[in-house]
Amino acid sequence: MATRGWKRAGAAAMGLVLVACGNSTKPAADESTSTTPPPSTPSTTAPSLPPTPALTPTRTPSMTPTPGKTTKPVPPPVESPTPVKPIRLTTSMLLTGSEVAKGDPKRGWAATEGSASTPICGRSSTRGDDVLGSLSRNFSNGLDASGGQWLTRYKDVGTATAAYERILTTIQSCKAARPAPTHARKLTENRSIALGDATRILRWYDYPLPSDPGSEDGGFPYAVTRKGTVVSVIAFREMGKGVKAANFEKLARSAAAHLS
């Protein structure tokens, strides 16, 4: 009985083993219902390209100024003034004795040796500051009259102009030589004429006061001309009225012609 019971138990156990083994094997019908996807077939379609970015149109600069903005004009180039070449002084630029004799005839004028004597209004009435060169010539009638011409050269027109104005100021004040206590002085001419770049004729006249009726009078004419960087001064001094106004202007014109 014990043996039979073991056989039954063993048979039952074998059946359990077979059932377990049978459950591990799937029937053929189940293969058709499998959820495993079949292997994919490689696609022959070309991949799509990314979209081409849109081109931004290039903007051509406009010459028309934007409203509301001020366009500053470009200033023209500044041209430097051409410097004036200084003129070298030569004796040919001075009046000659024969020219003075012709300009004021029958007076016996002639050029004399040596430098011209200082005129009535002093040395400052013949030259300005910063002189680069100078020449002079003396004239005399051999008796009671003398005169001279003074040329001075300057580095530029501005300096020559300043010298010209300084000379005129000196002549107009004429403080170098005061008349005697028995005399008075007055300016009888002060006029400009068209010669060179600028020309002025001035004339001082000394006359006796009533307290000294027998005393002599005296005439002192000046002609000052600027031409470029050169200034010319002619001045005379003599007893009496001096060189006539018309004759002295002839001398001024002759002197200015030498500076051209």
Side-chain angles (χ1 to χ4, degrees):
M1 290 179 67
T3 305
R4 186 179 298 130
W6 181 88
K7 287 182 180 180
R8 290 178 182 174
M14 287 296 292
L16 293 173
V17 171
L18 288 173
V19 172
C21 291
N23 290 337
S24 63
T25 305
K26 296 183 179 179
D30 293 340
E31 292 179 2
S32 61
T33 61
S34 174
T35 60
T36 303
S40 59
T41 304
S43 175
T44 60
T45 304
S48 60
L49 297 175
T52 304
L55 297 177
T56 303
T58 303
R59 185 176 181 181
T60 303
S62 175
M63 298 305 293
T64 304
T66 304
K69 294 184 179 180
T70 303
T71 302
K72 294 183 178 180
V74 179
V78 178
E79 297 183 1
S80 300
T82 303
V84 178
K85 185 178 180 180
I87 299 174
R88 183 178 179 181
L89 299 181
T90 63
T91 55
S92 63
M93 300 170 71
L94 293 166
L95 283 170
T96 64
S98 60
E99 286 177 307
V100 175
K102 183 179 179 180
D104 189 33
K106 300 180 181 179
R107 300 286 306 280
W109 289 105
T112 59
E113 296 295 331
S115 300
S117 57
T118 304
I120 190 69
C121 295
R123 185 171 181 268
S124 295
S125 65
T126 64
R127 59 193 293 141
D129 295 327
D130 301 322
V131 176
L132 293 185
S134 63
L135 284 176
S136 66
R137 179 169 285 164
N138 194 46
F139 307 100
S140 174
N141 68 353
L143 295 172
D144 57 359
S146 65
Q149 181 181 10
W150 294 261
L151 294 180
T152 47
R153 180 173 65 89
Y154 303 88
K155 63 179 181 180
D156 52 40
V157 171
T159 307
T161 301
Y164 174 83
E165 296 296 338
R166 181 175 182 268
I167 291 169
L168 293 181
T169 299
T170 300
I171 297 171
Q172 287 170 341
S173 64
C174 202
K175 297 178 181 178
R178 296 288 185 181
T182 57
H183 283 68
R185 180 178 291 171
K186 62 181 178 180
L187 193 63
T188 59
E189 279 190 89
N190 187 359
R191 58 192 177 95
S192 296
I193 57 177
L195 295 175
D197 294 320
T199 295
R200 184 82 64 83
I201 292 178
L202 307 97
R203 181 189 295 262
W204 283 105
Y205 173 60
D206 280 13
Y207 57 96
L209 296 173
S211 58
D212 188 14
S215 185
E216 293 285 348
D217 55 2
F220 312 100
Y222 276 85
V224 186
T225 298
R226 182 185 69 81
K227 177 67 176 179
T229 58
V230 176
V231 176
S232 165
V233 177
I234 56 175
F236 288 84
R237 56 191 303 170
E238 63 181 292
M239 304 291 286
K241 304 295 182 181
V243 181
K244 292 180 180 179
N247 290 349
F248 192 71
E249 184 171 326
K250 289 180 183 178
L251 296 179
R253 293 185 178 279
S254 295
H258 282 266
L259 306 180
S260 300

